[in-house]
Amino acid sequence: MFVRSEIAAMDGYTPGEQPQGGKFIKLNTNENPYPPSPAIRRAIEEVLQRGLQKYPDPMANAFRTRAAELLKLPSKDWILAGNGSDDILTICTRAFVGQGNLLRLPYPSYILYRTLAQLQGARWEEVRFNDDWTLPPAFSAPAAGLKFVFLPNPNSPTGTMISREAILEMADRLPCPLLVDEAYVDFADFSCVDLVAKNEKILVSRSLSKSYGLAGLRFGYLVAQPHIIHELIKVKDSYNCDALSIAAATAAIDDEAWLADNRGKIVATRGRLEAGLSALGFDAVPSQANFVWCTHSRHVAKTLYEKLKAAHVLVRYMNYPGWSDGLRISVGTDDQIDALLGLLQSKI
Protein backbone atom coordinates (compact mmCIF):
# COMPACT_ATOMS: atom_id res chain seq x y z
CA MET A 1 0.00 0.00 0.00
CA PHE A 2 1.34 3.42 -0.96
CA VAL A 3 -1.44 5.58 0.51
CA ARG A 4 -1.32 7.14 3.96
CA SER A 5 -2.48 4.90 6.78
CA GLU A 6 -5.36 7.29 7.55
CA ILE A 7 -6.71 6.86 4.02
CA ALA A 8 -6.37 3.09 4.01
CA ALA A 9 -8.23 2.84 7.32
CA MET A 10 -11.24 4.99 6.39
CA ASP A 11 -14.39 3.99 4.55
CA GLY A 12 -14.84 7.28 2.70
CA TYR A 13 -18.01 9.28 2.17
CA THR A 14 -20.85 7.52 0.35
CA PRO A 15 -23.16 9.86 -1.62
CA GLY A 16 -26.83 9.11 -2.14
CA GLU A 17 -27.82 6.84 -4.99
CA GLN A 18 -27.69 8.42 -8.46
CA PRO A 19 -29.37 5.87 -10.79
CA GLN A 20 -28.12 6.15 -14.37
CA GLY A 21 -30.80 4.00 -15.98
CA GLY A 22 -34.54 3.59 -15.64
CA LYS A 23 -37.16 6.09 -14.52
CA PHE A 24 -37.20 6.93 -10.82
CA ILE A 25 -38.98 9.42 -8.63
CA LYS A 26 -35.84 10.69 -6.96
CA LEU A 27 -36.37 11.96 -3.40
CA ASN A 28 -33.10 10.84 -1.82
CA THR A 29 -30.45 13.56 -2.30
CA ASN A 30 -32.31 16.81 -1.56
CA GLU A 31 -32.16 18.08 -5.12
CA ASN A 32 -34.54 20.80 -6.25
CA PRO A 33 -37.29 19.22 -8.38
CA TYR A 34 -37.69 22.34 -10.55
CA PRO A 35 -35.42 23.64 -13.33
CA PRO A 36 -33.25 26.64 -12.45
CA SER A 37 -33.78 30.24 -13.51
CA PRO A 38 -33.81 30.82 -17.31
CA ALA A 39 -31.19 33.51 -16.70
CA ILE A 40 -28.65 30.75 -16.14
CA ARG A 41 -28.89 29.42 -19.68
CA ARG A 42 -28.35 32.90 -21.06
CA ALA A 43 -25.32 33.45 -18.84
CA ILE A 44 -23.75 30.15 -19.90
CA GLU A 45 -24.39 30.85 -23.58
CA GLU A 46 -22.61 34.21 -23.26
CA VAL A 47 -19.56 32.47 -21.80
CA LEU A 48 -19.57 29.88 -24.57
CA GLN A 49 -19.71 32.61 -27.19
CA ARG A 50 -16.61 34.21 -25.68
CA GLY A 51 -14.89 30.83 -25.57
CA LEU A 52 -13.34 28.61 -22.92
CA GLN A 53 -9.74 28.85 -24.03
CA LYS A 54 -8.75 31.17 -21.18
CA TYR A 55 -8.63 30.49 -17.47
CA PRO A 56 -11.54 31.79 -15.36
CA ASP A 57 -11.26 34.51 -12.74
CA PRO A 58 -9.54 32.61 -9.89
CA MET A 59 -11.54 34.53 -7.28
CA ALA A 60 -14.97 34.53 -9.01
CA ASN A 61 -15.18 38.27 -8.38
CA ALA A 62 -18.36 38.82 -10.41
CA PHE A 63 -20.16 36.42 -8.09
CA ARG A 64 -18.50 37.77 -4.94
CA THR A 65 -19.44 41.34 -5.79
CA ARG A 66 -23.12 40.54 -6.44
CA ALA A 67 -23.39 38.21 -3.45
CA ALA A 68 -21.95 40.88 -1.15
CA GLU A 69 -24.57 43.35 -2.39
CA LEU A 70 -27.45 40.92 -1.85
CA LEU A 71 -26.21 39.87 1.59
CA LYS A 72 -25.54 43.49 2.60
CA LEU A 73 -21.88 42.83 3.34
CA PRO A 74 -19.32 45.65 3.28
CA SER A 75 -17.44 44.21 0.30
CA LYS A 76 -16.66 41.10 -1.74
CA ASP A 77 -13.69 40.50 0.56
CA TRP A 78 -16.12 38.81 2.98
CA ILE A 79 -16.84 36.00 0.48
CA LEU A 80 -14.89 32.99 -0.82
CA ALA A 81 -16.31 30.98 -3.74
CA GLY A 82 -15.98 27.21 -4.01
CA ASN A 83 -16.74 24.21 -6.19
CA GLY A 84 -19.88 23.42 -4.21
CA SER A 85 -20.11 23.97 -0.48
CA ASP A 86 -18.25 20.67 0.07
CA ASP A 87 -15.20 22.39 -1.43
CA ILE A 88 -15.64 25.18 1.11
CA LEU A 89 -15.85 22.67 3.97
CA THR A 90 -12.67 20.99 2.71
CA ILE A 91 -10.77 24.28 2.39
CA CYS A 92 -11.69 25.28 5.94
CA THR A 93 -10.78 21.89 7.40
CA ARG A 94 -7.42 21.92 5.63
CA ALA A 95 -6.74 25.44 6.89
CA PHE A 96 -7.76 25.02 10.53
CA VAL A 97 -7.25 21.35 11.42
CA GLY A 98 -3.84 19.68 11.52
CA GLN A 99 -2.78 16.11 12.19
CA GLY A 100 -3.82 15.04 15.67
CA ASN A 101 -6.04 18.09 16.23
CA LEU A 102 -9.69 17.78 17.21
CA LEU A 103 -12.73 18.58 15.07
CA ARG A 104 -16.22 18.64 16.65
CA LEU A 105 -19.66 18.09 15.12
CA PRO A 106 -23.19 17.39 16.35
CA TYR A 107 -24.75 13.94 16.15
CA PRO A 108 -26.55 13.01 14.01
CA SER A 109 -25.47 15.32 11.19
CA TYR A 110 -23.73 15.46 7.82
CA ILE A 111 -21.38 12.46 7.73
CA LEU A 112 -18.87 14.18 5.42
CA TYR A 113 -17.57 16.20 8.38
CA ARG A 114 -15.94 13.19 10.01
CA THR A 115 -14.48 12.15 6.65
CA LEU A 116 -12.77 15.54 6.36
CA ALA A 117 -11.22 15.03 9.79
CA GLN A 118 -9.95 11.60 8.78
CA LEU A 119 -8.37 13.02 5.63
CA GLN A 120 -6.36 15.39 7.82
CA GLY A 121 -5.28 12.65 10.18
CA ALA A 122 -7.22 14.50 12.85
CA ARG A 123 -9.42 13.36 15.71
CA TRP A 124 -13.13 14.03 15.66
CA GLU A 125 -15.85 13.91 18.28
CA GLU A 126 -19.63 13.98 18.07
CA VAL A 127 -21.92 15.67 20.59
CA ARG A 128 -25.46 14.33 20.61
CA PHE A 129 -28.41 16.62 20.16
CA ASN A 130 -30.82 16.95 23.07
CA ASP A 131 -34.27 15.45 22.65
CA ASP A 132 -35.63 18.89 21.70
CA TRP A 133 -32.90 19.31 19.01
CA THR A 134 -30.96 21.90 20.97
CA LEU A 135 -27.30 21.23 21.80
CA PRO A 136 -25.87 20.69 25.30
CA PRO A 137 -23.14 22.93 26.81
CA ALA A 138 -20.57 20.27 25.90
CA PHE A 139 -20.89 21.27 22.25
CA SER A 140 -19.26 24.64 22.88
CA ALA A 141 -16.94 23.64 25.71
CA PRO A 142 -13.18 24.16 25.18
CA ALA A 143 -11.14 20.98 24.78
CA ALA A 144 -7.48 20.09 24.27
CA GLY A 145 -6.56 20.38 20.60
CA LEU A 146 -9.98 21.61 19.49
CA LYS A 147 -9.43 23.60 16.28
CA PHE A 148 -12.72 23.61 14.38
CA VAL A 149 -16.46 23.02 14.90
CA PHE A 150 -19.13 22.24 12.28
CA LEU A 151 -22.78 23.14 12.85
CA PRO A 152 -25.23 22.36 10.02
CA ASN A 153 -28.17 24.75 10.37
CA PRO A 154 -30.69 23.51 9.25
CA ASN A 155 -29.33 20.15 10.27
CA SER A 156 -29.35 17.06 8.09
CA PRO A 157 -31.04 14.62 8.41
CA THR A 158 -33.53 16.28 10.79
CA GLY A 159 -34.16 19.71 9.23
CA THR A 160 -34.03 21.29 12.70
CA MET A 161 -32.27 24.55 13.64
CA ILE A 162 -30.24 26.07 16.45
CA SER A 163 -31.25 29.63 17.35
CA ARG A 164 -29.15 32.65 16.44
CA GLU A 165 -28.78 33.55 20.11
CA ALA A 166 -27.45 30.10 20.95
CA ILE A 167 -24.95 30.27 18.07
CA LEU A 168 -23.58 33.59 19.31
CA GLU A 169 -23.18 32.12 22.79
CA MET A 170 -21.41 29.07 21.35
CA ALA A 171 -18.95 31.22 19.42
CA ASP A 172 -18.17 33.24 22.54
CA ARG A 173 -17.31 30.07 24.48
CA LEU A 174 -15.40 28.22 21.77
CA PRO A 175 -11.63 28.68 21.36
CA CYS A 176 -11.81 28.07 17.59
CA PRO A 177 -13.85 28.85 14.44
CA LEU A 178 -17.48 27.68 14.25
CA LEU A 179 -18.69 27.01 10.72
CA VAL A 180 -22.47 27.31 10.36
CA ASP A 181 -23.34 25.18 7.33
CA GLU A 182 -26.39 26.81 5.73
CA ALA A 183 -26.77 24.52 2.73
CA TYR A 184 -30.57 24.48 3.24
CA VAL A 185 -31.12 27.90 4.76
CA ASP A 186 -33.16 29.36 1.89
CA PHE A 187 -36.03 27.10 3.01
CA ALA A 188 -35.71 28.21 6.64
CA ASP A 189 -37.07 31.08 8.72
CA PHE A 190 -33.72 32.76 9.44
CA SER A 191 -30.03 32.88 8.53
CA CYS A 192 -26.86 33.57 10.51
CA VAL A 193 -24.94 35.51 7.85
CA ASP A 194 -25.15 38.77 9.80
CA LEU A 195 -23.59 37.06 12.84
CA VAL A 196 -20.27 36.86 10.98
CA ALA A 197 -19.71 40.56 11.64
CA LYS A 198 -20.46 40.10 15.35
CA ASN A 199 -17.82 37.44 16.01
CA GLU A 200 -14.78 36.61 13.86
CA LYS A 201 -15.04 32.95 14.89
CA ILE A 202 -18.39 32.54 13.08
CA LEU A 203 -18.18 31.41 9.45
CA VAL A 204 -21.21 30.67 7.25
CA SER A 205 -21.20 28.38 4.22
CA ARG A 206 -23.86 28.31 1.52
CA SER A 207 -24.70 26.10 -1.47
CA LEU A 208 -26.47 26.81 -4.76
CA SER A 209 -27.26 23.11 -5.21
CA LYS A 210 -30.53 23.07 -3.29
CA SER A 211 -32.51 26.29 -3.43
CA TYR A 212 -31.20 27.40 -6.84
CA GLY A 213 -31.58 24.01 -8.56
CA LEU A 214 -27.88 23.82 -9.46
CA ALA A 215 -26.75 20.51 -7.94
CA GLY A 216 -25.30 19.49 -11.30
CA LEU A 217 -23.23 22.65 -11.64
CA ARG A 218 -21.32 22.71 -8.31
CA PHE A 219 -21.02 26.11 -6.71
CA GLY A 220 -20.96 27.25 -3.10
CA TYR A 221 -19.45 30.01 -1.02
CA LEU A 222 -18.29 31.06 2.43
CA VAL A 223 -18.99 34.24 4.37
CA ALA A 224 -16.27 35.19 6.87
CA GLN A 225 -14.39 38.25 8.03
CA PRO A 226 -11.84 39.44 5.43
CA HIS A 227 -8.73 38.46 7.40
CA ILE A 228 -10.06 34.88 7.57
CA ILE A 229 -10.87 34.85 3.84
CA HIS A 230 -7.33 36.10 3.14
CA GLU A 231 -5.84 33.02 4.79
CA LEU A 232 -8.27 30.56 3.21
CA ILE A 233 -7.39 31.80 -0.28
CA LYS A 234 -3.95 30.27 0.28
CA VAL A 235 -5.53 26.83 0.67
CA LYS A 236 -8.03 26.70 -2.19
CA ASP A 237 -7.20 25.28 -5.61
CA SER A 238 -5.91 27.93 -8.04
CA TYR A 239 -9.03 27.81 -10.22
CA ASN A 240 -11.58 26.03 -8.06
CA CYS A 241 -14.58 27.51 -9.94
CA ASP A 242 -14.82 27.36 -13.73
CA ALA A 243 -16.08 30.10 -16.03
CA LEU A 244 -19.46 28.43 -16.63
CA SER A 245 -20.21 27.94 -12.94
CA ILE A 246 -19.19 31.49 -12.03
CA ALA A 247 -21.47 32.99 -14.69
CA ALA A 248 -24.37 30.67 -13.84
CA ALA A 249 -24.07 31.23 -10.10
CA THR A 250 -24.00 35.00 -10.54
CA ALA A 251 -27.10 34.89 -12.75
CA ALA A 252 -28.85 32.58 -10.27
CA ILE A 253 -28.46 34.77 -7.20
CA ASP A 254 -29.42 37.83 -9.25
CA ASP A 255 -32.86 36.34 -10.04
CA GLU A 256 -34.46 37.04 -6.68
CA ALA A 257 -38.00 36.61 -8.03
CA TRP A 258 -37.23 33.05 -9.16
CA LEU A 259 -35.82 32.16 -5.74
CA ALA A 260 -38.85 33.56 -3.90
CA ASP A 261 -41.25 31.62 -6.14
CA ASN A 262 -39.28 28.38 -5.85
CA ARG A 263 -38.95 28.68 -2.09
CA GLY A 264 -42.69 29.21 -1.78
CA LYS A 265 -43.45 26.05 -3.76
CA ILE A 266 -40.98 23.90 -1.83
CA VAL A 267 -42.16 25.11 1.58
CA ALA A 268 -45.81 24.54 0.66
CA THR A 269 -45.12 21.01 -0.59
CA ARG A 270 -43.01 20.31 2.50
CA GLY A 271 -46.09 21.05 4.59
CA ARG A 272 -48.15 18.62 2.51
CA LEU A 273 -45.46 15.95 2.92
CA GLU A 274 -45.27 16.37 6.70
CA ALA A 275 -49.06 16.25 7.02
CA GLY A 276 -49.31 13.21 4.75
CA LEU A 277 -46.67 11.29 6.65
CA SER A 278 -48.29 12.11 9.98
CA ALA A 279 -51.63 10.87 8.68
CA LEU A 280 -49.96 7.53 7.86
CA GLY A 281 -48.64 7.16 11.41
CA PHE A 282 -45.09 8.42 10.83
CA ASP A 283 -43.28 10.55 13.36
CA ALA A 284 -42.15 13.39 11.08
CA VAL A 285 -39.80 15.99 12.56
CA PRO A 286 -40.96 19.54 11.62
CA SER A 287 -38.40 20.66 9.03
CA GLN A 288 -36.79 23.97 8.05
CA ALA A 289 -35.09 22.37 5.01
CA ASN A 290 -36.21 20.80 1.73
CA PHE A 291 -36.51 17.33 3.23
CA VAL A 292 -38.33 15.59 6.07
CA TRP A 293 -36.92 13.03 8.50
CA CYS A 294 -39.41 10.38 9.62
CA THR A 295 -39.71 7.10 11.50
CA HIS A 296 -42.62 4.72 12.07
CA SER A 297 -43.26 2.89 15.31
CA ARG A 298 -44.74 -0.18 13.58
CA HIS A 299 -42.71 -0.48 10.38
CA VAL A 300 -39.00 -1.03 9.77
CA ALA A 301 -37.47 1.93 7.95
CA LYS A 302 -35.12 -0.14 5.81
CA THR A 303 -37.97 -2.38 4.66
CA LEU A 304 -40.04 0.63 3.64
CA TYR A 305 -37.03 2.04 1.77
CA GLU A 306 -36.58 -1.24 -0.11
CA LYS A 307 -40.28 -1.46 -1.02
CA LEU A 308 -40.25 2.10 -2.34
CA LYS A 309 -37.09 1.45 -4.34
CA ALA A 310 -38.66 -1.64 -5.89
CA ALA A 311 -41.47 0.68 -7.04
CA HIS A 312 -38.87 3.10 -8.49
CA VAL A 313 -39.19 5.71 -5.75
CA LEU A 314 -35.88 6.57 -4.09
CA VAL A 315 -35.70 7.99 -0.57
CA ARG A 316 -32.63 8.02 1.70
CA TYR A 317 -32.42 5.31 4.33
CA MET A 318 -30.01 6.41 7.05
CA ASN A 319 -28.84 4.55 10.13
CA TYR A 320 -27.04 6.39 12.93
CA PRO A 321 -25.59 3.92 15.45
CA GLY A 322 -26.65 4.61 19.01
CA TRP A 323 -29.37 6.99 17.88
CA SER A 324 -31.88 5.74 15.33
CA ASP A 325 -32.49 4.85 11.74
CA GLY A 326 -35.17 6.33 9.51
CA LEU A 327 -36.06 7.81 6.17
CA ARG A 328 -35.00 11.21 4.91
CA ILE A 329 -37.39 12.24 2.14
CA SER A 330 -36.58 15.14 -0.17
CA VAL A 331 -39.38 17.53 -1.08
CA GLY A 332 -40.32 16.93 -4.72
CA THR A 333 -43.14 18.27 -6.82
CA ASP A 334 -46.71 17.87 -5.59
CA ASP A 335 -47.22 15.01 -8.08
CA GLN A 336 -44.10 13.23 -6.83
CA ILE A 337 -45.13 13.58 -3.20
CA ASP A 338 -48.64 12.35 -3.99
CA ALA A 339 -47.12 9.27 -5.67
CA LEU A 340 -44.87 8.65 -2.67
CA LEU A 341 -47.69 8.97 -0.14
CA GLY A 342 -49.90 6.72 -2.23
CA LEU A 343 -47.23 4.03 -2.32
CA LEU A 344 -46.59 4.30 1.41
CA GLN A 345 -50.29 3.94 2.11
CA SER A 346 -50.34 0.72 0.10
CA LYS A 347 -47.21 -0.67 1.81
CA ILE A 348 -48.07 -0.09 5.48
Side-chain angles (χ1 to χ4, degrees):
M1 295 288 290
F2 297 103
V3 301
R4 290 164 43 214
S5 58
E6 295 92 347
I7 306 303
M10 62 187 287
D11 293 329
Y13 175 70
T14 303
E17 296 171 89
Q18 298 288 349
Q20 301 301 308
K23 187 176 182 181
F24 285 82
I25 294 178
K26 198 165 175 302
L27 304 173
N28 65 326
T29 50
N30 303 336
E31 295 146 326
N32 198 309
Y34 300 103
S37 164
I40 292 170
R41 177 184 290 273
R42 296 192 294 270
I44 289 175
E45 288 174 347
E46 289 176 7
V47 175
L48 293 175
Q49 288 173 4
R50 292 196 300 269
L52 296 174
Q53 63 272 31
K54 294 182 179 180
Y55 286 112
D57 175 1
M59 289 302 300
N61 283 310
F63 174 86
R64 296 171 76 209
T65 299
R66 186 62 181 129
E69 293 170 352
L70 291 170
L71 295 173
K72 297 179 173 54
L73 298 170
S75 73
K76 62 180 174 55
D77 297 331
W78 290 66
I79 294 176
L80 178 70
N83 180 27
S85 62
D86 284 354
D87 183 33
I88 294 296
L89 306 183
T90 301
I91 290 168
C92 291
T93 306
R94 290 172 64 194
F96 298 129
V97 184
Q99 187 171 11
N101 291 156
L102 179 64
L103 183 151
R104 182 180 290 160
L105 57 145
Y107 187 78
S109 68
Y110 190 21
I111 56 178
L112 178 67
Y113 301 147
R114 68 177 75 164
T115 301
L116 295 176
Q118 291 173 306
L119 290 172
Q120 291 297 102
R123 297 173 293 128
W124 51 273
E125 67 176 9
E126 296 171 323
V127 176
R128 289 175 63 105
F129 280 102
N130 297 320
D131 291 342
D132 62 355
W133 300 110
T134 58
L135 283 164
F139 187 76
S140 53
L146 180 63
K147 297 296 183 181
F148 198 33
V149 176
F150 279 119
L151 177 61
N153 208 45
N155 183 49
S156 176
T158 58
T160 51
M161 295 191 79
I162 301 298
S163 71
R164 290 161 46 84
E165 295 76 16
I167 288 171
L168 277 173
E169 291 175 4
M170 289 175 188
D172 285 338
R173 294 186 65 207
L174 284 166
C176 64
L178 169 66
L179 188 146
V180 182
D181 183 350
E182 292 193 340
Y184 303 100
V185 80
D186 286 322
F187 306 109
D189 291 339
F190 64 87
S191 165
C192 293
V193 163
D194 65 303
L195 302 187
V196 173
K198 298 179 184 297
N199 190 317
E200 66 176 356
K201 288 182 282 185
I202 297 177
L203 290 63
V204 173
S205 66
R206 291 278 190 90
S207 170
L208 272 69
S209 296
K210 322 299 182 185
S211 54
Y212 289 93
L214 293 176
L217 188 77
R218 311 309 302 135
F219 198 94
Y221 63 98
L222 179 77
V223 179
Q225 293 194 15
H227 65 282
I228 302 290
I229 297 292
H230 176 76
E231 298 302 321
L232 296 176
I233 290 170
K234 302 175 185 178
V235 180
K236 80 175 188 70
D237 290 344
S238 301
Y239 300 98
N240 61 332
C241 299
D242 62 69
L244 297 177
S245 67
I246 295 169
T250 306
I253 63 171
D254 199 43
D255 194 345
E256 297 180 85
W258 183 94
L259 177 63
D261 177 71
N262 187 264
R263 180 189 188 280
K265 289 188 290 189
I266 296 293
V267 170
T269 305
R270 182 181 71 197
R272 293 182 65 249
L273 173 60
E274 290 175 344
L277 290 170
S278 296
L280 292 172
F282 285 88
D283 179 12
V285 178
S287 175
Q288 289 278 294
N290 68 331
F291 55 81
V292 175
W293 174 260
C294 61
T295 57
H296 202 291
S297 60
R298 293 181 290 105
H299 296 277
V300 177
K302 191 170 185 179
T303 301
L304 289 175
Y305 153 78
E306 290 169 346
K307 288 180 178 179
L308 289 171
K309 184 177 180 179
H312 278 214
V313 175
L314 288 179
V315 298
R316 188 78 181 264
Y317 168 74
M318 306 184 84
N319 183 21
Y320 291 89
W323 180 66
S324 175
D325 67 347
L327 303 179
R328 193 192 68 188
I329 304 174
S330 305
V331 177
T333 64
D334 285 338
D335 287 345
Q336 290 172 333
I337 296 306
D338 287 343
L340 166 79
L341 294 173
L343 277 169
L344 285 173
Q345 188 169 25
S346 69
K347 304 296 182 185
I348 63 176

